[in-house]
Amino acid sequence: PAFDMGQMSSMMKAAIAHAQESAAAEMSGMMNEIRAMRGQMETQLAEIAWGTTQQREPQKAAVLREMLAAGFSASLSRYLIEKLPAGKDNADSLRWIKTVLNRNLTTLENEDEILEKGGVFALVGPTGVGKTTTTAKLAARCVMRHGPEKLALITTDAYRIGAHEQLRIYGKILGVMVHSVKDEADLRIALKELRNKHTVLIDTVGVSQRDQNVAEQVAMLSETGADVKRLLCLNATSTNETLNEVVRAYQGSGLAGCIMTKLDEAASIGNVLDVIIRQKLNLFYISNGQRVPEDLHLADRGMLVDRAFRLKRDAAAGQFSDAELPLLMAGTSNARNDRTLREVRLG
């Protein structure tokens, strides 16, 4: 039979393509193995390095333990401990750490920022973080300063049974009108009608940080035509990871500030301070109980940092052994690329 050149060349092409594919697959496999080996070596080197540090500078291990027990993340703890000035004993080292944390916590210096200036404030955050109670506490402060006629309350929570009833009861006690709105158009009308009020507080419906409705809510508050300042309620009993997720979801075009809630229920508060420092949030108030209006306080940096180190978690559960510290530190080797850490000011 006649020899088909076309068939021959297509067979050749197929063979070459096949060889290239298997070479590429083999190459990619090798690259993955090299990456995995590099990762393992980096981790092991980091472990060895930390083990050496532990022996040479025991005060660093002592301070690290304190920071972890207070609830701070391993990456922030490592970052600060690597910057720790040499030749300090345990007490001085801890004092240096506290000073740095203090310097990086932004708090509301003066309540007049809210109470005298006034404006429209929306309390936002996931369900169950204490938004309604905090709104009532803030409302009581405004009424004490300016009287009930200068304030209006708005609730967007028309879904949960009793949600707007709760705010309505607080409103009745304070002598303040409570308006219930169900959507953006409603909110726009309400804010237009209330523009002669000195302060308007909006109690929003709680939305999980994993729900895409968060973005809708952020947009709804941003597009009302009024300058709505959003205050994020951060639950002190949540983990560092959850709080970071909450901030990322609710950040939108920027938060005016945050309020730390459930301080009275938290076993440690380093977790919240860590997030506030790294996300550069402005901490307005701390809420530490159910009583309205007593259990709302202006945030005091020094007190919070001291309290973080006093509020040790259950000694047995929160303590890491000498052998565990290198492993823990090795896991933070990629933290050097973390932008939120690079912006921590040391002095």
Side-chain angles (χ1 to χ4, degrees):
F3 197 71
D4 189 342
M5 287 299 282
Q7 205 176 358
M8 178 75 170
S9 89
S10 70
M11 276 167 68
M12 286 281 284
K13 272 185 194 142
I16 290 168
H18 179 68
Q20 278 174 338
E21 257 172 51
S22 32
E26 208 168 303
M27 193 63 181
S28 148
M30 269 166 61
M31 287 309 291
N32 285 341
E33 274 179 46
I34 290 169
R35 271 190 212 103
M37 275 165 62
R38 190 173 90 187
Q40 278 177 339
M41 280 170 72
E42 275 176 3
T43 304
Q44 282 174 348
L45 284 170
E47 273 185 60
I48 293 165
W50 181 257
T52 317
T53 302
Q54 227 168 309
Q55 286 160 358
R56 267 211 318 269
E57 303 169 273
Q59 79 280 11
K60 286 193 174 181
V63 173
L64 174 64
R65 264 202 205 86
E66 293 271 345
M67 285 193 77
L68 295 173
F72 291 98
S73 64
S75 51
L76 178 68
S77 304
R78 174 191 176 137
Y79 182 79
L80 293 185
I81 277 151
E82 283 185 347
K83 308 281 187 206
L84 196 63
K88 287 184 183 294
D89 62 11
N90 288 9
D92 279 345
S93 298
L94 191 58
R95 218 167 286 131
W96 184 85
I97 293 281
K98 282 183 179 179
T99 307
V100 172
L101 291 170
N102 214 320
R103 187 176 292 131
N104 285 279
L105 255 184
T106 309
T107 52
L108 191 68
E109 294 300 332
N110 190 340
E111 227 179 342
D112 289 348
E113 189 75 21
I114 289 187
L115 300 185
E116 278 308 316
K117 260 192 189 169
V120 184
F121 295 93
L123 277 80
V124 297
T127 41
V129 297
K131 287 188 297 296
T132 304
T133 317
T134 307
T135 305
K137 290 173 185 175
L138 213 43
R141 268 179 137 82
C142 293
V143 168
M144 286 191 273
R145 181 77 68 107
H146 300 290
E149 55 291 332
K150 292 281 185 79
L151 173 73
L153 295 172
I154 296 179
T155 173
T156 66
D157 198 342
Y159 311 105
R160 287 183 308 146
I161 296 170
H164 58 276
E165 277 314 308
Q166 195 188 353
L167 195 64
R168 198 155 267 137
I169 291 164
Y170 285 130
K172 200 172 265 175
I173 295 166
L174 295 167
V176 175
M177 275 291 289
V178 177
H179 306 259
S180 191
V181 300
K182 58 182 187 298
D183 56 24
E184 190 184 327
D186 249 13
L187 180 60
R188 198 180 275 264
I189 293 162
L191 287 175
K192 203 162 259 173
E193 282 173 10
L194 298 169
R195 62 173 179 267
N196 61 335
K197 296 286 181 187
H198 180 266
T199 308
V200 177
L201 299 178
I202 306 171
D203 179 24
T204 62
V205 63
V207 185
S208 156
Q209 74 276 12
R210 299 191 159 194
D211 189 327
Q212 58 260 36
N213 288 343
V214 173
E216 283 172 28
Q217 191 191 77
V218 170
M220 168 177 145
L221 293 168
S222 310
E223 291 158 19
T224 54
D227 175 24
V228 180
K229 298 177 188 75
R230 289 176 299 118
L231 299 177
L232 178 62
C233 290
L234 290 175
N235 179 353
T237 67
S238 293
T239 63
N240 192 288
E241 290 79 8
T242 304
L243 290 167
N244 268 310
E245 236 179 44
V246 168
V247 175
R248 274 198 296 274
Y250 276 93
Q251 192 106 49
S253 56
L255 293 160
C258 63
I259 296 175
M260 191 195 296
T261 62
K262 300 187 187 284
L263 186 72
D264 53 318
E265 296 174 28
S268 63
I269 59 167
N271 44 338
V272 204
L273 299 182
D274 191 297
V275 172
I276 292 170
I277 286 171
R278 287 165 70 167
Q279 303 288 351
K280 300 235 174 315
L281 298 177
N282 191 357
L283 179 60
F284 279 30
Y285 291 101
I286 51 174
S287 163
N288 64 340
Q290 291 299 309
R291 292 176 308 164
V292 175
E294 299 91 330
D295 294 334
L296 188 72
H297 310 276
L298 211 52
D300 175 335
R301 287 186 302 209
M303 182 280 283
L304 285 168
V305 172
D306 276 341
R307 183 173 176 144
F309 286 97
R310 276 207 316 276
L311 262 186
K312 292 286 165 44
R313 276 181 281 182
D314 177 9
Q319 285 302 337
F320 292 91
S321 72
D322 281 351
E324 288 170 317
L325 289 179
L327 265 171
L328 195 71
M329 287 299 99
T332 62
S333 50
N334 60 350
R336 287 154 202 260
N337 311 325
D338 190 328
R339 179 188 55 77
T340 62
L341 284 175
R342 288 204 303 272
E343 289 175 9
V344 173
R345 290 173 301 131
L346 298 168

